[in-house]
Amino acid sequence: MTWRGTAVLALLLAIGVAVGYGASWTLGANPSGTGPAAPVPASPSLPVDPVPELLDDPEFPPLATGLPLVRQSVGAGDFQMTLPVPKGWSYFENSLNEWQWRPPDQPAFGYVLRVEQVLSNRRSIAWTLDRRLAELREDESNVEVLAQTRDSLHFTFVTANHLRYGYLRWLDLTGSDNAQVEIAVTGREVDDPGMADLIARVGSGVRLG
């Protein structure tokens, strides 16, 4: 081999050593993904049930306490009952066992009284309350329980971007401990004192037959 061939061979060996050293340094600084993966911080998750932008309540006089009540009969046959309802309110029959009352000419998202017979369920008040609360949380958004007793719920929820206040109460009229009547009052925050008064007075006056 001539001296020129020897020089070329030496140069190629030097280049090979340099390239190998550079590759090993690069892999050391940036290791491959063959080792255990390190946890990566997750970006903040969105709220499960975000509060929507709320719309203003309709302009309408607040539900007053101590409203004059009149007795009304609903249902038929063995499912007939009488109860006190606000005098002058409009009456709507939703079904054979559910009725509503509300002031005439009231705008949407005002206040309403609803009464339903649940005799056919033959379930305890405790079971009915738990079931109804689960339904509320499934069907409505932003449900918050403000107060709860053995036979009643006071809560808020959001529907169509309106904050709503609600009361639910269940009655046992025969001493069976089963829920036979459900009373509901729904309205605005400003109506809350009147709703509490109304559901208590209606509930104390319901009679079967």
Side-chain angles (χ1 to χ4, degrees):
M1 180 180 295
T2 66
W3 67 269
R4 292 185 180 181
T6 303
V8 170
L9 179 60
L11 178 61
L12 291 176
L13 288 173
I15 293 174
V17 170
V19 170
Y21 177 80
S24 66
W25 183 88
T26 302
L27 291 174
N30 301 277
S32 66
T34 56
V40 178
S43 59
S45 59
L46 293 175
V48 175
D49 200 6
V51 179
E53 183 177 353
L54 298 177
L55 301 176
D56 292 336
D57 289 328
E59 295 291 335
F60 197 75
L63 177 58
T65 59
L67 287 178
L69 304 178
V70 295
R71 295 201 68 82
Q72 182 169 346
S73 177
V74 294
D78 294 337
F79 297 98
Q80 187 174 25
M81 65 180 180
T82 61
L83 68 159
V85 297
K87 183 178 181 180
W89 283 23
S90 299
Y91 164 68
F92 303 91
E93 186 173 359
N94 294 342
S95 65
L96 294 177
N97 66 326
E98 184 178 298
W99 311 272
Q100 281 191 6
W101 294 262
R102 66 181 67 200
D105 303 322
Q106 178 184 240
F109 301 104
Y111 43 84
V112 59
L113 165 68
R114 180 182 61 81
V115 176
E116 178 183 0
Q117 283 185 332
V118 290
L119 287 169
S120 60
N121 286 350
R122 297 183 180 178
R123 300 286 189 173
S124 69
I125 290 178
W127 184 94
T128 305
L129 187 155
D130 289 342
R131 175 69 175 177
R132 193 73 173 86
L133 181 55
E135 290 174 349
L136 282 171
R137 287 174 169 155
E138 181 179 348
D139 298 339
E140 307 292 351
S141 65
N142 303 95
V143 174
E144 180 181 353
V145 176
L146 304 179
Q148 179 176 338
T149 70
R150 63 168 297 276
D151 63 357
S152 69
L153 282 174
H154 180 206
F155 59 98
T156 62
F157 63 100
V158 175
T159 183
N161 293 84
H162 284 84
L163 177 63
R164 305 291 286 161
Y165 279 67
Y167 285 86
L168 281 168
R169 183 180 176 187
W170 294 269
L171 305 179
D172 165 27
L173 303 178
T174 63
S176 64
D177 193 40
N178 290 341
Q180 294 150 358
V181 178
E182 177 179 287
I183 307 173
V185 184
T186 307
R188 307 160 297 178
E189 181 178 8
V190 70
D191 303 316
D192 198 61
M195 292 193 296
D197 175 76
L198 180 60
I199 199 167
R201 295 170 65 203
V202 172
S204 64
V206 178
R207 302 288 184 270
L208 290 178

